[in-house]
Amino acid sequence: MATQHDIALTRALAELPGPLPSSGVIHVAIPHASRFTIVGNHLTQHAELSLVAIGIGVHIQSLPTGSEVGIKALASRFTEGETRIAAALRELEAHGYLHRTRVRLANGRLVTRTVFCNQPGAALRGGTAVTPVPLVAPAPVPAPAPLVAPAPVLVVAAPAPTPPPSPSPEPTPVPEESHPPVRVPSRTAPKVARRPLPRPRELTPELRQTASAILAGLRSHAKELVLSEDDVEALVPGVAAWLERDAHPDTIRHALTTELPQPPKHPAKIVKHRLTVLLPPPLPGAQELAPVRRALVIPLQNCDGCDRAFRATAPGHCRGCRNEPTVTAA
């Protein structure tokens, strides 16, 4: 069996156009006739999603509408635990692929409604909702077409006896594709630019020393996070930015060592990603926390002498009426 498989693979590679690359993957692409799902490269090659999140996203997109995609349902299907599956679902939800809302049914029961978007950000175009399409490729359904002359049909099965021709043959309808052709996305889709590592306003010697100590001591809290000296030197500005924003060292360690992927293949990349996307905002100062002072508005009063309007805190006379006796006496 292995020899036949190798021979078939060799023949398939020989039919590929152009010279084969010396390294890297070689695609033997055979078109699917049934049971296939179209998945965008923006999901399969996402720069910020983990491999578990990408796999679960592709799996959910291949399921028919109404399938159970909760944490327990996915954990019973795959070998990953509930913690990793829950973290992957949160990643898909953060990037707009997954939407989970609580809705109340007609009988008063609260349920979780899960919606998966194959193209985040494109659910609404121009204020008009886009009609959702089924996630599983449906079988082509023949649609009625204008009557045309009969055309020859290629039959793969065993030949059947041909009926005698009728004196006046009626034209037979020719089935047409009910769905427009699907555009296959390019393999060289543009990649989303990654956010740079945060940096402090001023990298003082005290910040550098504290940041280096935090990074070097991560392996004491998570044995998987073993960083080299070059990695520590490159990640020092990111930790210094956290310290500059008054983040406690224990807070930084907890953010960098909680719920790590198993096994972590690139510890330095994991630390850099978390330092970048989990950066807390600066603490508000005294001015931001001070109560807003409202300007004092002096009300309008009617003068008791001339009935003109003037601003004062209490009823009385306007300035002209108050100065009138003095002018008369002069």
Side-chain angles (χ1 to χ4, degrees), residues 261-299:
Q262 298 296 332
K265 297 182 180 180
H266 303 286
K269 292 184 179 180
I270 296 176
V271 174
K272 179 181 178 181
H273 175 73
R274 294 193 173 190
L275 288 175
T276 303
V277 301
L278 301 180
L279 179 66
L283 290 178
Q287 297 180 354
E288 289 82 359
L289 297 177
V292 179
R293 295 183 179 179
R294 297 183 178 180
L296 179 61
V297 180
I298 301 177

Side-chain angles (χ1 to χ4, degrees), residues 27-233:
H27 292 278
V28 178
I30 301 175
H32 293 279
S34 61
R35 292 184 56 81
F36 66 92
T37 303
I38 299 175
V39 182
N41 283 348
H42 55 83
L43 172 60
T44 59
Q45 300 178 8
H46 203 285
E48 297 182 3
L49 288 178
S50 63
L51 189 59
V52 178
I54 293 176
I56 291 180
V58 173
H59 174 71
I60 294 177
Q61 191 169 344
S62 67
L63 296 177
T65 301
S67 301
E68 295 292 335
V69 292
I71 298 176
K72 295 187 179 296
L74 294 174
S76 63
R77 169 65 175 79
F78 299 101
T79 57
E80 285 76 10
E82 294 185 3
T83 302
R84 296 185 64 185
I85 291 178
L89 293 177
R90 288 195 297 268
E91 291 183 50
L92 294 172
E93 195 169 9
H95 288 83
Y97 289 95
L98 194 66
H99 299 271
R100 293 180 289 188
T101 55
R102 299 283 290 175
V103 295
R104 187 179 298 275
L105 301 179
N107 58 2
R109 179 186 175 189
L110 281 175
V111 297
T112 300
R113 174 171 293 170
T114 304
V115 179
F116 189 88
C117 298
N118 66 335
Q119 296 188 38
L124 293 177
R125 292 193 179 97
T128 304
V130 178
T131 305
V133 298
L135 298 179
V136 180
V141 179
L147 298 180
V148 296
V153 179
L154 179 61
V155 180
V156 180
T162 305
S166 58
S168 58
E170 298 181 357
T172 58
V174 178
E176 296 182 355
E177 293 291 337
S178 59
H179 299 279
V182 180
R183 293 184 178 180
V184 179
S186 174
R187 295 184 179 179
T188 59
K191 295 183 179 180
V192 180
R194 296 186 179 182
R195 297 168 55 183
L197 184 71
R199 294 183 176 276
R201 292 190 298 270
E202 181 182 0
L203 186 58
T204 61
E206 293 79 7
L207 285 178
R208 179 181 293 275
Q209 181 179 0
T210 306
S212 301
I214 293 175
L215 291 171
L218 288 180
R219 62 177 181 267
S220 301
H221 302 271
K223 60 181 180 179
E224 301 90 349
L225 296 181
V226 180
L227 304 177
S228 64
E229 292 184 356
D230 294 339
D231 294 336
V232 171
E233 185 66 23

